[in-house]
Amino acid sequence: MSPERIVAVSEEPALLPDLVRVGRSVGADPSDRVVAVLLPGVPGDAADRARAAGAHEVHRLVAPASTDPHVLTSALEEVVRTLAPTLILVGSTKRGRELAGRLAGRLDLPAASGVTALRTEGGALLLDREALSGNAVATERIERRPAVLALLPGTTAPSPSVAPPGPAEDRTVAPVPPLTETVEVRAKAGGQLEIEKADRIVTIGRGLRKKEDLPLIEALARALGAEVGCTRPLAADAGWLSDDHWIGLTGHRVHPKLYVAVGVSGAVQHQVGMRSAQVVVAVNKDPNAPIFAQADYRIVGDLYQIVPALTKVFST
Amino acid sequence: MAETLRIGVAVKHGVDVTLTRADRATGRVDLAGAPRKTSDFDKNAVEEAVRLREKHGGTVTAITVGGPAAREALREALAIGADEAVLVTAESWSTWDTRAVARLLAGAYRTLGGFDLFLVGEGSTDHFGGLVGPRMAGELGIAEVASVRKVTIEGRAVLAEKDLEKEVEVVRAKFPVVLTVGQEINTPRLPTFMANLKASKKEAKVLAPPDVGLAPDSLAPVVVVEKVAVPEIPRKQVALAGASAEEIAKGLREALRAEGLVP
């Protein structure tokens, strides 16, 4: 078996230390190397954090900062040519998946995204990834190298190892003209809530008849010391709550100790967002709502009667 | 004279996630025998393609890569308003991975003479890898904008709003460009009876891998699915009932106290 040479790419700098740690555990042999690659424009402290996480080497790509996928993948193509990695890791963010796909297409490499666990078996990579809209786990095998993998936060890998310090090296990248031009970047409205960190969540779904009834749900959340979550229709379609409240496949994945789903039918795309909650309470007037299959405590009833009663009981 | 707008759109006839059941004993899901349907976001892609044609003229060509049953996805695309339908198929279709699908789409793109705009769902309902669109653009060496929730055409370029986790990036890209779109971009129309009837009478053009410049053995999977399983999360399934809402609420308080979640 030839040594692993693993490149961790800083598409999302906050995820880079995790990628390095996964790289170190996959490449646990003394002859294996983990190289952190900082894309142009990434803040310098990312280098320190990558080293602290165990990177053997840090390479800073020197070029004008860009978000154009062609510019970024061209820089990564050069990295692949010069560093000859066996494995390229990026974060499974929207941009990360885009880069993984484009790079894989440029160089005809195996690729997978949404990876939640990674290990090697002989020279092959074995990975778990989300499948069926996140409600199942697919185990996949990749023999051909190098491979490009986009890892979800919290990806597990066996035996993380301790880091030696390593030098940071600047690497000038030949410039390529961008294929797209950024006209404007605007922050999303809201966006302040980090619901994936919440311990308790009260989530409201389409059972809520109108936006003006939201205080009903907010009062219950206050009584329980919980954040307010919502399903896709309330955020994306109706816009009653901002995207940072949205729980589900294309919203946020949450892991609270207590999850109270009110008027939530429980579409599979919602379940993937909440399935790792410890204790689930569901309130729904439809006894056949799919959410009940995911519930520890089931309350069949009209939320307009149940929620005020819950608020009263939990406020005292 | 303005050139005619050529829009391509990829549709996938994927596993119907809502009808998929795991084997109770093993937790495994048999995907080979699972019911299939058109992937949700791909309908958004077709709808957006048809809306752009309605506004700017031109043609919409729907392309699917898959088995014989994938004609159903093409029929749906035609019913929404696509002008032409293309099925890329071979006996080995069920072994094709993301790489093979992206290569076949890129091959079809070239064989059909290229497109100004090529729309793809941001992720499929069953796989949700989000790789096919960017991978195809990478194969072709053309621009792509992923996660688009709004698109307008300005001359021979698009202005697209890219929906990222914490921000929206407005991007201008000249033709040709691949766009991946999500559910937020539109609400696909429900085709009329007549549109459905007309769509079911239209023949799809059928292409084999060699027709799009690919030897069948170059499509062998490089990412092999070993198994698909549903993780078992045991839930207590306790029904709380009572004569009044307050009684039910008190019952829940007792239960959550026992869990150590409320004082």
Side-chain angles (χ1 to χ4, degrees), chain A residues 148-169:
Chain A
V148 190
L149 301 181
L151 310 186
L152 281 174
T155 295
T156 57
S159 63
S161 48
V162 185
E169 190 181 306

Side-chain angles (χ1 to χ4, degrees), chain A residues 28-50:
Chain A
D29 191 87
S31 59
D32 296 337
R33 304 286 285 174
V34 175
V35 183
V37 169
L38 307 188
L39 294 172
V42 168
D45 62 341
D48 300 331
R49 293 196 291 140

Side-chain angles (χ1 to χ4, degrees), chain B residues 96 194 221:
Chain B
W96 290 340
M194 282 308 289

